[in-house]
Amino acid sequence: AWVSSLSMGMVFFCSPIVSIFTDIFGCRKVAVIGAAVGFAGLLSSSFVSTIEPLYFTYGVLFACGCSFAYQPSLVILGQYFKKRLGLVNGIVTAGSSLFTVSLPFLLRVLIDSVGLYNTLRVLCILMFVLFLAGFTYKPLVSNTKDKEGGKKGKFRFPSEKKICNFSVFKVPSYRIWAFGIPAALFGYFVPYVHLMKHVKDRFGDSVPEEVLLLCLGITSGVGRLIFGRVADYIPGAKKVYLQVASFFFIGLMSMMIPLCHVFGGLIAVCLFMGLFDGCFICIMAPIAFELVGAQDVSQAIGFLLGLMSIPMTVGPPIAGLLRDRLGNYDVAFYLAGVPPLIGGAILCVIPWVHERQKLKEKAKPADGETTEKMLENESTLVLDATEKPVKEMESVF
């Protein structure tokens, strides 16, 4: 549990650093270097014989590489797509669902035939594909000065805002979003880490537990495509309501896992859980674009993913500790359903706060315009007053 939790947590913990590098060096360089680091981490993991080195090679090195390769893939989409950003994010993120469906079966065949270490070496092929795919990230440069500086080959030290853009936390709606989502994630990933072990404890080896991963992967992919398209029809920050619904259903499904004494019931739970997991993932970037704008979206996503790393790392080991103490996962799954419900309730206020913020921003220019008009009227009155005596003098002459 600690190795997998550390790996997932590091992917998100590195995100603020990744966003800074993305703003400075661009999506292409960061993605390529990240894939190379991930390749090195996965390859080195295949040569260790004890679990301790895996904390570094797989839990830290491989996870950091994945983080550097992952985040630019979200940022680059906003440079090409605006109107259909939700659908595009759904299509792109659906790729992970495809491999969630296929990898469990492939991994079982590989492990049985060539062993664990050779399986990790085979998986290095996928990281090499990511390395090549990173070269296709061609950013749209709108600033001509940046182009000229690039041609001359001069490196200018980036501004303080570009290195660490804390101004996104001045946006009230973003602050609530950045707090509500981590609050929900304390129990969000517990089923993904411990569900297979729970199935073995309750049903033994008589049921194919890979079917549950298959259900999660298929419906997650479908959910990303459906809700990504739906998000394009929902205006502004009201897209957050989709995440509220996803947290509500995922929390409810987590609580229902211990109540399923038939394997078919677990399949139904996983189908719903995967569907709303896809909803949560695919609209992360569109919501960030709505709350902070395209200019600050990279670090806004980075800070959020960094805050998400804490609950994602802590939650599954606590569930494992409860299982060791109590002998089963029932209490762990019941408690795992509570944080998503709390986080979803917090997110409900974001659209209202965002609308008030927009009204305040509109009111400021309006006040400025009225004062300008008053000054213009005063100046015209003064000009009229001075022009009249001049005209009278001219008529006398």
Side-chain angles (χ1 to χ4, degrees):
W2 272 111
V3 173
S4 57
S5 296
L6 179 63
S7 179
M8 284 193 299
M10 284 302 296
V11 169
F12 294 97
F13 181 76
C14 292
S15 295
I17 302 168
V18 178
S19 63
I20 294 169
F21 278 90
T22 302
D23 283 347
I24 296 173
F25 299 107
C27 295
R28 181 188 292 176
K29 291 178 181 177
V30 173
V32 169
I33 293 171
V37 172
F39 178 87
L42 194 59
L43 186 63
S44 58
S45 298
S46 68
F47 290 100
V48 300
S49 55
T50 58
I51 195 170
E52 286 79 11
L54 283 176
Y55 287 112
F56 175 73
T57 58
Y58 189 86
V60 177
L61 195 61
F62 171 67
C64 289
C66 289
S67 181
F68 274 76
Y70 168 68
Q71 195 174 324
S73 69
L74 298 179
V75 177
I76 195 71
L77 296 177
Q79 297 186 19
Y80 283 85
F81 302 95
K82 295 290 185 291
K83 192 177 179 182
R84 296 287 180 263
L85 185 60
L87 176 62
V88 170
N89 272 275
I91 294 170
V92 170
T93 56
S96 61
S97 299
L98 179 64
F99 282 91
T100 303
V101 172
S102 57
L103 272 181
F105 301 98
L106 176 63
L107 290 176
R108 169 156 286 196
V109 172
L110 287 172
I111 290 172
D112 291 342
S113 57
V114 298
L116 174 63
Y117 301 125
N118 287 322
T119 299
L120 292 175
R121 289 163 196 157
V122 172
L123 292 177
C124 288
I125 298 171
L126 297 179
M127 293 305 300
F128 185 70
V129 172
L130 275 182
F131 175 78
L132 297 177
F135 287 101
T136 65
Y137 293 2
K138 186 180 179 182
L140 298 177
V141 183
S142 58
N143 193 349
T144 54
K145 290 182 180 179
D146 290 343
K147 286 183 181 179
E148 290 170 3
K151 285 177 183 176
K152 293 176 183 178
K154 293 180 181 178
F155 177 77
R156 293 181 179 178
F157 195 77
S159 62
E160 187 179 341
K161 184 180 178 181
K162 212 168 188 180
I163 293 174
C164 213
N165 186 11
F166 287 112
S167 63
V168 294
F169 287 102
K170 294 179 181 177
V171 181
S173 53
Y174 175 78
R175 284 203 303 268
I176 299 169
W177 193 53
F179 172 75
I181 288 184
L185 290 180
F186 274 99
Y188 188 95
F189 279 94
V190 169
Y192 293 90
V193 175
H194 293 289
L195 184 59
M196 298 298 102
K197 188 70 171 63
H198 169 72
V199 171
K200 282 188 177 180
D201 288 349
R202 177 161 291 188
F203 300 101
D205 296 327
S206 59
V207 294
E209 63 268 14
E210 290 89 354
V211 173
L212 299 179
L213 290 177
L214 183 69
C215 295
L216 284 169
I218 291 173
T219 53
S220 180
V222 173
R224 295 174 198 202
L225 295 173
I226 293 173
F227 289 107
R229 190 72 180 99
V230 170
D232 291 330
Y233 292 105
I234 299 176
K238 291 182 180 178
K239 293 180 176 67
V240 171
Y241 289 132
L242 289 177
Q243 282 191 332
V244 172
S246 67
F247 282 141
F248 174 79
F249 279 100
I250 286 171
L252 192 62
M253 292 301 107
S254 295
M255 292 178 173
M256 289 184 67
I257 289 173
L259 302 176
C260 297
H261 296 282
V262 181
F263 189 66
L266 274 179
I267 291 175
V269 166
C270 288
L271 288 173
F272 278 101
M273 188 176 287
L275 187 69
F276 287 98
D277 171 74
C279 172
F280 165 68
I281 292 171
C282 75
I283 58 173
M284 289 276 288
I287 290 174
F289 273 95
E290 292 290 345
L291 297 182
V292 301
Q295 253 188 341
D296 301 325
V297 73
S298 174
Q299 297 206 29
I301 294 174
F303 287 133
L304 176 66
L305 296 179
L307 291 169
M308 286 166 56
S309 67
I310 300 168
M312 288 178 62
T313 307
V314 172
I318 291 175
L321 182 64
L322 287 171
R323 189 264 176 194
D324 292 340
R325 293 288 177 88
L326 302 174
N328 57 56
Y329 283 106
D330 291 357
V331 174
F333 284 124
Y334 287 134
L335 293 177
V338 176
L341 299 179
I342 296 172
I346 293 170
L347 297 183
C348 284
V349 302
I350 289 178
W352 177 74
V353 172
H354 192 66
E355 285 300 318
R356 285 193 63 187
Q357 177 189 335
K358 285 171 70 176
L359 288 173
K360 284 182 180 179
E361 288 175 357
K362 286 180 181 177
K364 285 178 183 178
D367 293 339
E369 286 174 9
T370 52
T371 52
E372 282 178 9
K373 285 179 180 178
M374 288 174 66
L375 290 170
E376 285 176 4
N377 291 332
E378 287 178 6
S379 63
T380 52
L381 288 171
V382 170
L383 285 170
D384 290 340
T386 53
E387 283 175 1
K388 280 180 181 178
V390 172
K391 286 180 179 177
E392 289 174 4
M393 291 287 287
E394 286 177 354
S395 62
V396 169
F397 283 115

